[in-house]
Amino acid sequence: MNLLEAVADPNLFADQFGGDSWANWRALLGGFYGLPLDETQAAVFHELTNRTPVLSPFGELWLAIGRRGGKSNAAGLLAVFEAFFNDYRSKLAPGEVATVIIVAADRKQARSVMRYIRGLIESCPMLQAMVVRDGQESIELVNRCVIEVMTATHRGIRGYTVCCAILDEIAFWMVDGASPDREIINALRPSLATLNGKLIALSSPYARRGVLWESYRRHFGSDSARVLVAQAPTLTMNPTLDESVVAEAYENDPTAAAAEYGAQFRTDVEGYVTVETLDRCTRPSQLEIMPDSRSTYTAFVDPSGGSADAFTLAIAHQDKDERVIIDCTRAVRPPFSPESVVDEFCKLLKTYRIREVRGDAYAGEWPREQFNKRRISYIRSDKNKSELYKDLLPLLNSGNIELPPDNQLHRELLGLERRTTRGGRDSIDHAPGAHDDLANAIAGVANFTAKPKPAMSINLGWAAIGPCTPY
């Protein structure tokens, strides 16, 4: 039974995917599997992929689909079809299992796809009979196939024999850092090779970077026999969504709505700094440098109330070559008692002979009161976070700053984005769903540690003495 037959069968998935609202999804997925399409379906397939249907299956499917377009439902369908409707046992070694993996930025996101998968299984007694064990993050079947969810790390996906990999919201994975999306894909491909498994990546698009953008740029509308790329706005794939929701989003923020609902890659978002630049600025060892009586230190804190963001501190000094040296960092993650963190930070500041600390401009009066209580003056920065990041960038690009070998700091700096606002101004901030608390402390302390270089004086010799008198 092929996929289109399964979604048309009333004993299987007809109730969920047989209606008119799923017609475009059926045309797209039927074309992905190389199934015969009627004239209407072929036209839809061409509209979504800029390609003519072929009667041979593809190995990879990259989907740039608007939000609420049915991506997670479709991912659940594909996971169930690949796990339940295929028998990989002849290709498996004794004790080996074929795995359908659902990879997401975190387990919470991956479990949303797992809920759709369980819904499809529970609605069909024939499928339920094949389940051997149903765990929180995996489902084992009698055909030696397992459906499993996992987070997006290149180390975590090694060692599996994968028959299908579904990569959820891949445009919002880490593009750089400890587990960049490219490294995860590279680690995944050998796992797919044994069973000639399928790679299915789906997301609403975001910035013009990362593997989704690269696949779109290289393969959308191409004649690749292996890779199929589709792009579609929300209402094309989910005509049941209230059109006023989309219209209101475009009215509020046309640029964001074009990505969220129009499935267009954003042109107003760029990366902040490269991996190579950070590597050049990072010392090979010594996470922290002990205080030196010959150095003068400055400090910056990014306060937090203890429920969502980390409370961070950075201490720095300027060396004889006028480089900013980041000596010490602290990041206390929630939950915590804010007063206890202030007390801990003040003790650390005093070991570096620091009696004055600068902090976030939007922290309110509470930090000032708490630090003053412990005889540390708190001065609110007159620059916002974006301005601090703008000032940090020249130090990074010129190598006039030395960073500690802190993985969290690197991830946060690499995750920063430069955006052009609707008014034409540049803004620098973390990506959606990410954090930059430690990076903000680093930017702040670097800004207030770096001394501006004196203006260059030019020695003009005798001509500088006064006006020239001709002989």
Side-chain angles (χ1 to χ4, degrees), residues 193-270:
T194 300
L195 303 178
N196 196 25
K198 295 194 179 301
L199 176 66
I200 300 165
L202 58 156
S203 182
S204 49
Y206 188 55
R208 294 188 298 176
R209 64 174 189 267
V211 291
L212 181 64
W213 164 250
E214 291 169 4
S215 296
Y216 173 84
R217 183 172 54 84
R218 291 179 58 194
H219 296 295
F220 182 71
S222 75
D223 58 357
S224 171
R226 185 178 59 86
V227 181
L228 178 66
V229 178
Q231 181 183 36
T234 299
L235 293 174
T236 297
M237 305 309 288
N238 181 15
T240 65
L241 185 69
D242 187 349
E243 293 184 16
S244 65
V245 173
V246 179
E248 184 177 351
Y250 272 95
E251 183 177 343
N252 293 335
D253 190 339
T255 302
E260 294 279 275
Y261 295 104
Q264 300 296 316
F265 288 89
R266 296 185 68 148
T267 59
D268 63 325
V269 178
E270 297 179 358

Side-chain angles (χ1 to χ4, degrees), residues 54-120:
V54 294
L55 295 177
S56 58
F58 294 89
E60 297 184 12
L61 177 61
W62 295 80
L63 300 174
I65 307 293
R67 290 190 68 181
R68 313 309 302 172
K71 297 186 297 295
S72 295
N73 298 67
L77 171 65
L78 292 169
V80 170
F81 180 76
E82 289 293 331
F84 283 83
F85 290 77
N86 292 279
D87 193 340
Y88 305 99
R89 285 174 285 192
S90 63
K91 298 181 180 179
L92 298 174
E96 190 177 24
V97 296
T99 306
V100 174
I101 60 172
I102 297 100
V103 187
D106 54 49
R107 277 184 163 79
K108 183 179 180 181
Q109 290 183 0
R111 288 193 194 110
S112 68
V113 179
M114 186 64 97
R115 284 194 289 270
Y116 288 110
I117 292 171
R118 284 199 171 91
L120 291 175

Side-chain angles (χ1 to χ4, degrees), residues 272 383 386-396 443 447:
Y272 172 71
K383 295 184 178 181
S386 181
E387 291 169 331
L388 293 175
Y389 286 139
K390 287 178 184 176
D391 291 341
L392 174 63
L393 193 56
L395 294 175
L396 291 169
N447 185 274

Side-chain angles (χ1 to χ4, degrees), residues 121-135:
I121 296 171
E122 291 168 1
S123 67
C124 180
M126 289 188 293
L127 301 183
Q128 281 184 298
M130 293 180 63
V131 176
V132 175
R133 185 177 294 104
D134 188 350

